[in-house]
Amino acid sequence: MRGPGKSFTAGANGFFFFLLSVQVVQGQNGWGVTYNSTKVCALKGSTVDIGCSYFYPATVNRVETTVWLTRHRHSYSVDLKEELQYADRVQYLCEGRRDCTLRITDLRESDSAEYMFRFTTNLPEGKYTGSPGVTLTVADLTVQVTREQRWYSYSNRAELKCHHLCQLSPRPTYIWYKNGKYMKEATSLTYVTNVDYKDSFACALKTHKVLLSSPPVCVWEQTCGSVIYTNTELCVLKGSSVDISCTYKTYYRYLPVQSTFWFRPEHGNVHSSQPEDLSGDSQYTGRVQYPAVGDGRSVLRIRDLRESDSAEYRFIFKTRYFEWGMDLPGTTLTVTGLKLKVTPLPTVTETQRVTLTCSTCCPLTAKPSFIWSHNGQVLTQAETKQNQLVFESVGSQHAGTYSCAVKDHPDLSSPEETLTVTYGPRTSSVVMSPADDIKEGDLVTLTCSSDANPPAQYTWYKENQTLPCRRGDTYQLPSIRYEDSGIYRCQSENKYGHLNSAPQVIDVQYAPKVPSVSVSPSGEFKEGSSVTLTCKSDANPPVDDYIWFKENEDSPTTSGQNYTINNITTDHSGNYVCQVRNRRGRNNSTNQPIVVKGTLMSTAAVWIPTFLVAIILLSVFIWIRRKRASKHQAEPNFRKTSDNVGQLNSGPLYENISAGAESLAPAAERELVGQQDNPLYTSVHFAHSKNKKVPLDSTIKQPQPQNQEDVVYSVVKPNAAFQ
């Protein structure tokens, strides 16, 4: 068993262990490594520093990596930090000034090996290893006993020596213990005293409050009282439980043990007269147990460990004739939490190599497996025997929060650390709100989204033209107009690159603008020709309906974008209007006049039928008069008729009839009247009715009321054709 006590740092805490202390410069062409010494010796359980400096040609721009290697026989390690044997015990103290120190804590005999420094640069072949390196020897601290035996007495005089293989500088102070009790008079490398068969001795080195002790040794074979701790140091996770154990024996195995207990010595006063049983300490109430494990072995179990439990714990036992002392160093417990460290930095660039290290303030006693969590989810494929998780080429998918824990205590995880991965824009897109159905006057917002770290700056474009004073991830059009229609996009850019978004089309819908009407052919039109009117209007969506109206007509004339009039007549003359419609509204064109020029043939076609109808009516009227004239042959009536001719000619009815005849066919009437040699007379009787109304639009005036029957005489000279 290795001896109890705390470790110390060689070179840092007062001791330098050198068998050969020289500087060795190696390399050529400007490359090299200089070690502070070629051989180092250190005690088991201590801490050692191995330092070097390195140099390289001026053509090197930067140093990429610095690592320490070890060679056991003929094999090389890749990196000490990646070796399970050195987990949590190795540090690289590289200041960036072309020097680097390897620190190994809690040295073990298996750490005896050759150690070399390697660095790599930006050059293709810029890697150099300082070989040969530094040889480290780890030695144990033991007590050597040389005694003088006397056959007549059990008491013997013996010389005790605190032995180790290393040459220590400066000269240390030694401490001696007898049966667990401190012997203040002994401070040198060797100690001569009288010994008894029941006695045991141990030695220790002291420097700067650090003790490194040997295990106790019986001076008389194995018949002595002793306490040997299973571990001199324990490193356990906060919140977990720990068992601190030891084996003990009396100088006589059949001697019954009266009492045993564990205690925690006061800091700074390891020689207190009366220790306190830990089971009665209020700080440990409900958390301390002494499990029964059989004779010769004792266990102290502490549950729900706290950082305040970090201390040294010692065991004491008593028999009727023997009491083990309370001064010999026991087991030092360190309670630690887990801490996650991101290397090189929490913020890295894409494709860099990143190492996550789950560290503690001391090497965990139980060599655990580590589990890792990313954004709260356990990485099932990332369980590691070592305390590191390495991403050879980090990507954006690795960004997020990480924590680590040991497999046996997944609930005791480290605080989360954030890994930030920087990269140029990977995606860039524009989202429009509202997404569609945009009409004039709407509020339209364009939002540019980009996957980039750090966040990208946004620049807006319309039809490949930069929109001035438009930067940011949103672009608003408060009251959009149809002129704002077009293709928009954004460009996302940060210091790692830039990326354009896919185009976003803004299609602004609006009611038809005032339509225009074109006429083909243009100018005045002759009857019988064809005319086409075409209506056009700017609208979005396109015009759904074209409707044609003629001025002063309520009903539509026709529909369609083109209106063709075949065989046009003067009836088609007038003003025409085109009305256009879509689902956003309607609009009318201005009046479009159409003028049709008439011909002589067309005039005759109107008046000839009218004249023929008038002749027919006049002939019927004359025939009726002749029939009536044959019934009136009496002479007296002739005079009466003659007297009333003037009245007939001046009466309203006669005037209207004459006027109508003249208006219909004035020439024909005069010819007929001129040919009448023998005039015929007839009388027209009007029967009056008080209730009869004459239409307003009649050209015949209503006769004046009379007391007697009105008689109207007419003179008609029949044409020979009617005789």
Side-chain angles (χ1 to χ4, degrees):
M1 285 297 190
R2 55 165 292 189
K6 295 184 179 179
S7 63
F8 64 92
T9 301
N13 289 333
F15 288 126
F16 296 88
F17 306 124
F18 303 126
L19 292 180
L20 179 64
S21 180
V22 296
Q23 289 189 341
V24 180
V25 180
Q26 307 164 33
Q28 57 184 356
N29 299 324
W31 298 87
V33 174
T34 302
Y35 295 105
N36 296 340
S37 62
T38 58
K39 293 183 179 180
V40 176
C41 181
L43 292 178
K44 181 181 177 182
S46 64
T47 297
V48 67
D49 287 348
I50 302 175
C52 76
S53 59
Y54 57 97
F55 48 91
Y56 44 81
T59 54
V60 173
N61 293 329
R62 65 183 180 276
V63 175
E64 301 283 354
T65 61
T66 56
V67 298
W68 284 87
L69 315 175
T70 185
R71 177 165 58 188
H72 294 275
R73 296 181 181 177
H74 300 291
S75 62
Y76 290 87
S77 68
V78 177
D79 186 345
L80 282 182
K81 287 186 176 180
E82 298 179 3
E83 288 288 322
L84 182 61
Q85 175 183 341
Y86 296 93
D88 296 318
R89 297 193 301 121
V90 168
Q91 289 179 281
Y92 296 165
L93 307 177
C94 302
E95 303 298 333
R97 299 188 303 271
R98 300 192 184 189
D99 54 52
C100 190
T101 298
L102 167 64
R103 174 171 292 174
I104 308 175
T105 61
D106 189 22
L107 283 171
R108 307 166 185 175
E109 292 180 290
S110 60
D111 295 337
S112 297
E114 180 184 357
Y115 295 87
M116 292 160 290
F117 177 75
R118 173 185 291 173
F119 65 97
T120 59
T121 67
N122 63 299
L123 300 181
E125 298 181 356
K127 180 170 65 174
Y128 187 84
T129 302
S131 178
V134 178
T135 300
L136 171 65
T137 301
V138 179
D140 202 357
L141 189 64
T142 60
V143 174
Q144 292 180 343
V145 179
T146 304
R147 68 178 183 272
E148 178 184 350
Q149 295 186 359
R150 298 177 184 177
W151 64 271
Y152 55 86
S153 174
Y154 288 105
S155 180
N156 296 287
R157 190 170 180 83
E159 181 183 69
L160 308 176
K161 182 179 181 181
C162 196
H163 176 72
H164 50 79
L165 297 177
C166 298
Q167 180 181 353
L168 305 181
S169 177
R171 188 173 182 177
T173 300
Y174 293 90
I175 300 174
W176 289 92
Y177 300 92
K178 178 181 178 181
N179 298 327
K181 296 183 178 67
Y182 170 67
M183 302 178 67
K184 61 180 180 180
E185 71 276 8
T187 59
S188 60
L189 176 65
T190 60
Y191 173 52
V192 179
T193 184
N194 293 325
V195 296
D196 190 76
Y197 68 93
K198 64 179 180 294
D199 293 334
S200 65
F201 290 87
C203 69
L205 295 177
K206 180 181 180 181
T207 177
H208 300 294
K209 299 182 181 180
V210 177
L211 289 175
L212 186 65
S213 64
S214 70
V217 174
C218 293
V219 296
W220 189 269
E221 298 179 355
Q222 297 299 322
T223 60
C224 67
S226 65
V227 172
I228 298 178
Y229 295 95
T230 306
N231 303 96
T232 57
E233 292 183 354
L234 287 175
C235 181
V236 187
L237 284 178
K238 177 183 177 181
S240 64
S241 299
V242 66
D243 284 353
I244 304 174
S245 63
C246 71
T247 59
Y248 65 96
K249 65 179 182 179
T250 64
Y251 63 91
Y252 182 59
R253 63 178 180 174
Y254 298 108
L255 190 66
V257 175
Q258 294 179 338
S259 66
T260 61
F261 63 88
W262 290 82
F263 67 97
R264 174 177 171 176
E266 295 295 332
H267 297 287
N269 182 15
V270 296
H271 312 300
S272 58
S273 58
Q274 186 61 40
E276 180 183 3
D277 188 344
L278 205 62
S279 61
D281 192 330
S282 59
Q283 181 178 339
Y284 296 89
T285 301
R287 299 192 297 122
V288 166
Q289 287 180 317
Y290 295 155
V293 290
D295 293 340
R297 187 167 181 263
S298 180
V299 174
L300 166 64
R301 179 170 295 165
I302 307 175
R303 300 194 308 269
D304 187 22
L305 284 169
R306 308 166 184 172
E307 291 184 357
S308 60
D309 296 335
S310 296
E312 181 187 351
Y313 295 86
R314 298 176 184 175
F315 174 77
I316 192 171
F317 71 94
K318 292 181 181 180
T319 68
R320 183 176 180 181
Y321 303 105
F322 181 82
E323 179 178 350
W324 180 257
M326 58 183 180
D327 298 327
L328 187 69
T331 297
T332 300
L333 171 66
T334 303
V335 180
T336 180
L338 295 173
K339 183 178 181 181
L340 184 65
K341 182 180 180 181
V342 180
T343 307
L345 291 171
T347 300
V348 296
T349 305
E350 201 171 30
T351 72
Q352 272 191 283
R353 186 178 188 268
V354 173
T355 301
L356 305 181
T357 303
C358 194
S359 61
T360 55
C361 65
C362 57
L364 294 175
T365 302
K367 299 306 177 186
S369 296
F370 291 87
I371 56 177
W372 309 83
S373 296
H374 180 212
N375 294 331
Q377 301 296 319
V378 176
L379 300 175
T380 56
Q381 303 299 321
E383 181 178 325
T384 60
K385 293 294 184 182
Q386 300 178 0
N387 67 331
Q388 291 183 331
L389 177 64
V390 178
F391 301 125
E392 292 295 340
S393 180
V394 74
S396 59
Q397 70 275 14
H398 296 118
T401 58
Y402 287 86
S403 64
C404 64
V406 297
K407 186 176 181 180
D408 295 336
H409 298 282
D411 55 323
L412 303 177
S413 61
S414 70
E416 290 184 336
E417 287 291 334
T418 300
L419 172 63
T420 303
V421 181
T422 58
Y423 52 91
R426 292 190 166 188
T427 62
S428 183
S429 61
V430 176
V431 177
M432 180 172 64
S433 177
D436 53 17
D437 200 27
I438 298 173
K439 62 182 182 297
E440 281 190 312
D442 284 350
L443 168 64
V444 176
T445 301
L446 300 177
T447 303
C448 187
S449 301
S450 176
D451 177 18
N453 193 24
Q457 297 297 319
Y458 303 108
T459 304
W460 290 95
Y461 296 87
K462 179 185 179 184
E463 311 292 350
N464 296 324
Q465 298 295 320
T466 304
L467 294 172
C469 302
R470 298 292 184 177
R471 295 183 67 86
D473 57 355
T474 59
Y475 175 38
Q476 283 193 337
L477 296 164
S479 181
I480 199 166
R481 300 173 300 170
Y482 75 94
E483 294 92 344
D484 295 322
S485 296
I487 299 175
Y488 291 76
R489 64 181 176 87
C490 70
Q491 183 184 80
S492 303
E493 182 178 8
N494 64 13
K495 65 179 181 178
Y496 299 105
H498 61 84
L499 184 66
N500 291 333
S501 70
Q504 174 64 55
V505 177
I506 294 184
D507 185 22
V508 182
Q509 297 184 357
Y510 49 92
K513 305 301 179 181
V514 176
S516 62
V517 176
S518 61
V519 181
S520 178
S522 59
E524 292 186 346
F525 309 100
K526 295 182 179 181
E527 286 187 309
S529 62
S530 295
V531 176
T532 299
L533 286 76
T534 302
C535 186
K536 294 182 179 180
S537 176
D538 179 20
N540 188 23
V543 174
D544 295 325
D545 298 313
Y546 295 86
I547 302 175
W548 294 90
F549 292 90
K550 188 177 181 183
E551 190 178 22
N552 299 326
E553 292 184 6
D554 296 332
S555 299
T557 302
T558 187
S559 62
Q561 186 174 10
N562 298 319
Y563 174 27
T564 301
I565 306 174
N566 295 315
N567 195 21
I568 195 170
T569 67
T570 54
D571 292 339
H572 293 109
S573 296
N575 292 322
Y576 288 82
V577 174
C578 172
Q579 185 180 89
V580 289
R581 303 175 182 175
N582 67 4
R583 64 191 183 95
R584 294 299 179 194
R586 66 180 65 186
N587 216 332
N588 293 340
S589 69
T590 57
N591 290 337
Q592 176 61 50
I594 297 294
V595 179
V596 181
K597 185 177 181 181
T599 62
L600 180 61
M601 184 62 68
S602 63
T603 304
V606 174
W607 286 106
I608 288 175
T610 304
F611 176 74
L612 292 177
V613 171
I615 294 298
I616 293 173
L617 291 176
L618 182 60
S619 299
V620 171
F621 178 73
I622 293 174
W623 180 78
I624 293 173
R625 292 290 300 270
R626 292 185 65 181
K627 281 288 188 178
R628 290 186 178 182
S630 61
K631 295 179 182 181
H632 300 83
Q633 297 295 328
E635 182 65 23
N637 290 337
F638 174 75
R639 291 191 179 130
K640 187 176 180 179
T641 301
S642 299
D643 296 333
N644 291 319
V645 168
Q647 297 178 3
L648 177 62
N649 290 336
S650 60
L653 179 61
Y654 181 81
E655 292 175 356
N656 289 334
I657 292 176
S658 299
E662 290 180 358
S663 64
L664 294 176
E669 183 183 10
R670 285 192 299 271
E671 182 180 358
L672 288 175
V673 174
Q675 293 177 358
Q676 293 295 332
D677 296 328
N678 299 314
L680 298 178
Y681 297 91
T682 184
S683 61
V684 179
H685 299 266
F686 293 93
H688 295 282
S689 174
K690 296 181 179 180
N691 296 326
K692 187 175 182 180
K693 295 182 179 180
V694 180
L696 294 177
D697 56 351
S698 174
T699 57
I700 301 176
K701 295 183 179 180
Q702 187 173 358
Q704 298 294 326
Q706 298 180 3
N707 294 329
Q708 60 181 4
E709 185 181 51
D710 292 333
V711 179
V712 178
Y713 296 94
S714 175
V715 179
V716 178
K717 292 183 179 182
N719 194 300
F722 294 100
Q723 292 181 358

